[in-house]
Amino acid sequence: LSVATFQRNVTWQNEISLWEDVAKKAPNKISGYNNTGEAYLSKNLPDEAIEYFHAALRLKPDFAGAYNNLGNAYALKGLTDIAIEYFQTALSLKPDMARAHYNLGNVYASIGQADRAINHFQLALQLEPNSEATHNNLGNFYLSTNFIDEAIEHFQIVLRLNPDLAHAHYNLGNAYLYKGLPDKAIEHFRIALNLKPDSFEVHNNLGTVYESLGLLDEAAKEYQRALMLKPDNDAAKINLNRLLQKTE
């Protein structure tokens, strides 16, 4: 193994190091800066990411992708007003950028601006109608605002696109639970657990469904499984203690 090869292996041991190395060796190319920023963002390091996105914009001031990434970075920092400005700038440069519409939908949803959130999710779906993430997040937003049938519709679309998404079965199970259809909720919670057996949330919610139906033994098993996954979770402890009091 040559010294140069060893150094490359050390340099490329993680994504951040790889793209930082690209940026240093090709300082006039935006990809190195933008991709380094994305790597930092994926590690929940928005401040470092912001520096690299700005570096990309110094090379190409009309690069819509960097503005979209800056929006994501500021959204991660909780600075939604700044995030919205950057997403809007991205769309002014590239109106057909589905990701920017999707991101705007998420930000508007997080601050309770329902009409704007739905509008941007729908614009994103016009551009990318088979986006699992957009259908899923729009479904979650509808669920949070008590539009249960609309939520179910979008979760069902997600599962037609990808039947093996555990979180989509979980979300659909919650929607059916809110609609007052516990049998359907149980069906999708069980499918979710077949796909991802170590899901605390699914075990805990399945326990609440069983408890509501008077199936206390099954409920206890699910609460206990949830606590095995998260022994310090207060909600699961409360659920199990309440159940044990019922059976005393």
Side-chain angles (χ1 to χ4, degrees):
L1 184 68
S2 69
V3 173
T5 301
F6 174 80
Q7 289 175 336
R8 282 198 301 273
N9 289 342
V10 171
T11 300
W12 294 0
Q13 63 185 330
N14 61 61
E15 190 179 5
I16 290 175
S17 296
L18 185 155
W19 287 114
E20 283 182 331
D21 188 61
V22 171
K24 289 175 183 176
K25 291 178 178 176
N28 295 320
K29 292 187 176 181
I30 62 172
S31 60
Y33 297 108
N34 188 63
N35 291 347
T36 302
E38 290 182 346
Y40 273 117
L41 201 55
S42 71
K43 303 296 183 184
N44 293 323
L45 297 169
D47 291 325
E48 293 84 347
I50 287 168
E51 292 181 21
Y52 279 93
F53 296 142
H54 280 300
L57 286 171
R58 284 194 289 272
L59 290 175
K60 187 174 172 57
D62 61 348
F63 180 35
Y67 285 108
N68 180 66
N69 286 336
L70 279 167
N72 284 327
Y74 279 104
L76 186 59
K77 286 168 66 69
L79 300 173
T80 55
D81 288 344
I82 299 174
I84 287 169
E85 289 180 12
Y86 279 117
F87 291 139
Q88 289 174 336
T89 301
L91 287 169
S92 71
L93 294 166
K94 191 175 181 183
D96 62 347
M97 180 181 275
R99 285 178 299 154
H101 284 296
Y102 167 75
N103 291 331
L104 265 176
N106 287 328
V107 171
Y108 282 130
S110 73
I111 58 177
Q113 294 195 20
D115 290 342
R116 289 180 176 179
I118 292 169
N119 178 56
H120 282 285
F121 282 139
Q122 290 176 338
L123 288 169
L125 287 173
Q126 288 176 20
L127 294 163
E128 293 183 357
N130 291 331
S131 170
E132 297 168 12
T134 306
H135 281 293
N136 184 71
N137 285 18
L138 181 52
N140 277 328
F141 184 69
Y142 277 134
L143 190 60
S144 71
T145 51
N146 210 35
F147 288 91
I148 309 303
D149 290 334
E150 290 83 351
I152 289 171
E153 177 185 351
H154 284 280
F155 294 142
Q156 288 174 332
I157 292 172
V158 174
L159 290 171
R160 284 199 294 272
L161 293 168
N162 189 346
D164 294 330
L165 280 180
H167 69 264
H169 284 287
Y170 170 68
N171 291 336
L172 184 55
N174 284 329
Y176 281 130
L177 185 58
Y178 295 150
K179 193 173 171 63
L181 298 171
D183 290 342
K184 282 185 172 290
I186 290 170
E187 175 188 348
H188 285 280
F189 287 153
R190 283 176 170 168
I191 294 172
L193 288 173
N194 285 336
L195 294 166
K196 190 180 179 184
D198 61 347
S199 173
F200 164 84
E201 291 78 11
V202 183
H203 282 296
N204 193 57
N205 283 21
L206 182 55
T208 63
V209 182
Y210 282 139
E211 184 179 358
S212 71
L213 295 174
L215 302 171
L216 303 188
D217 289 341
E218 288 85 347
K221 290 176 184 177
E222 296 303 329
Y223 291 147
Q224 288 165 347
R225 287 166 181 156
L227 281 169
M228 288 176 65
L229 294 165
K230 290 188 178 181
D232 296 326
N233 185 272
D234 289 335
K237 288 180 181 178
I238 290 170
N239 287 339
L240 185 58
N241 287 335
R242 182 185 62 248
L243 187 68
L244 292 175
Q245 290 175 2
K246 288 181 179 181
T247 58
E248 286 178 354

